[in-house]
Amino acid sequence: STAAAGRRPPPPPQLARTRIEVSGSCWPNAAAEALDVHGFCVLAAPPSEAPLIPLEVCAACRKTSEAGLDELLTKVERRGVDVTEEFRFLEVAHREGLRYDVPLEWRLPSIPAPSFTCDGSSGGPSSEPDTPSTGVEPEDKESAKDALARLHGAADVVARAALAAVVRRSQRGSEGNAAGERFDGVCTPPIAGCVVSLPRALTQSWHSDGAEAGLFNVFVPLLSLTRANGPTELRPGTHLHQGLARGHVAPREAPLLRAGEMLLFDYRVRHRGLANDSEEPRPVAYVTYAIGEAKDANFPDAVTLAYD
């Protein structure tokens, strides 16, 4: 009919926010909603407050990560390996296009970071797995470990608060979250590391880090991200429907995080590192959490450089 033809379609539902200020008591629920709908969220302190990760900690970890990578790549070259080609050792792997992934020891400070008084909890200290050295000189190792422990401690408090809300959201009602998934809490120590994108690093291919529900990455840029130095670009909603975005989701997004902010995203969401057209390395610390029975298979066994 004429009336039906002139009737406007209903407006799309309001999208969940993807940038969440870590303040008050409701932010974990907002983060869990963004993770459910879009597959990611940016977590940041209010503008009037200090960053979630202290800037001096980011600066110390940045210095350590860049120096450690230089030393590791020297060891790789001594093995006769072209560091611009694909390779994997226990201590460092070439991900793609001059991006190097350096696994790091999961550490928490001896004095835990203060917990939030909101819906999440920071959890207690986790055991430290036997992970490879970063290649830092012995006299610098203790200060480097202290900075890394402070970074992990500050990020852990925020991440666990958000993931506790993810668990509650998945257990609400009989169907769980949007995908019908139901999770228990974080049961195993996280996996930690740092990805350094060197100058002239190319844009990565679109990919997800895994296909299993219940795995989440936390990215902490150790310097502020710009269009030039290659932020991470994400395709919202692709953690569902086998990587195909459907329904009402945000357009692809490459958040320009400041140093000390956090990007939390579902392992399954399609993403890629953009090209680093700057003159400086772009290091991003990461922590991977598994909730429920999820198991990470993104780090296969490899040969060590320890006997170089």
Side-chain angles (χ1 to χ4, degrees):
S1 66
T2 304
R7 195 177 300 152
R8 294 182 178 180
Q14 186 174 1
L15 294 178
R17 291 176 292 146
T18 57
R19 185 176 178 86
I20 313 295
E21 285 192 359
V22 177
S23 179
S25 62
C26 297
W27 72 265
N29 293 331
E33 182 183 15
L35 287 166
D36 194 6
V37 174
H38 302 300
F40 77 96
C41 63
V42 173
L43 301 173
S48 60
E49 297 183 12
L52 299 178
I53 314 298
L55 295 182
E56 67 272 17
V57 171
C58 292
C61 290
R62 176 186 177 188
K63 179 180 178 181
T64 299
S65 67
E66 293 176 6
L69 177 62
D70 286 344
E71 191 165 324
L72 288 169
L73 292 183
T74 298
K75 290 184 176 182
V76 171
E77 288 179 322
R78 285 206 291 263
R79 293 289 186 97
V81 176
D82 183 346
V83 297
T84 66
E85 299 295 332
E86 183 178 347
F87 67 82
R88 175 183 294 279
F89 290 93
L90 185 63
E91 296 83 357
V92 59
H94 186 195
R95 285 295 184 192
E96 182 182 356
L98 298 182
R99 272 176 197 79
Y100 299 94
D101 187 344
V102 180
L104 297 172
E105 184 179 29
W106 171 248
R107 302 180 63 85
L108 291 177
S110 55
I111 301 176
S115 298
F116 289 99
T117 56
C118 53
D119 293 298
S121 64
S122 64
S126 302
S127 59
E128 297 173 1
D130 183 15
T131 52
S133 164
T134 61
V136 179
E137 292 298 323
E139 61 268 23
D140 296 330
K141 280 187 177 180
E142 288 310 311
S143 59
K145 288 180 178 179
D146 288 345
L148 187 63
R150 289 182 64 193
L151 185 148
H152 288 168
D156 194 56
V157 171
V158 179
R160 286 180 185 269
L163 293 178
V166 170
V167 171
R168 289 193 301 274
R169 186 180 179 91
S170 76
Q171 294 174 343
R172 191 179 303 152
S174 60
E175 295 184 356
N177 59 14
E181 299 152 345
R182 294 173 61 84
F183 300 123
D184 296 321
V186 177
C187 302
T188 57
I191 294 170
C194 185
V195 173
V196 182
S197 172
L198 296 183
R200 296 182 298 281
L202 302 176
T203 295
Q204 280 184 300
S205 304
W206 286 106
H207 65 282
S208 61
D209 288 336
E212 186 174 359
L215 293 165
F216 295 87
N217 273 330
V218 174
F219 278 9
V220 180
L222 303 182
L223 76 170
S224 294
L225 300 181
T226 67
R227 298 291 179 195
N229 65 15
T232 298
E233 187 176 35
L234 305 104
R235 298 183 65 188
T238 51
H239 60 305
L240 307 171
H241 315 300
Q242 290 76 51
L244 300 175
R246 296 178 181 174
H248 299 290
V249 295
R252 66 172 65 176
E253 186 174 344
L256 299 180
L257 280 72
R258 302 180 191 88
E261 296 181 343
M262 296 168 54
L263 173 65
L264 175 58
F265 65 96
D266 192 302
Y267 236 45
R268 299 167 295 173
V269 76
R270 305 276 291 174
H271 62 282
R272 61 180 180 174
L274 297 180
N276 183 358
D277 295 323
S278 75
E279 299 301 317
E280 295 182 310
R282 186 229 60 185
V284 172
Y286 67 83
V287 183
T288 300
Y289 290 88
I291 59 178
E293 299 298 320
K295 295 188 182 302
D296 178 34
N298 204 27
F299 295 88
D301 293 337
V303 174
T304 181
L305 290 167
Y307 305 107
D308 176 65

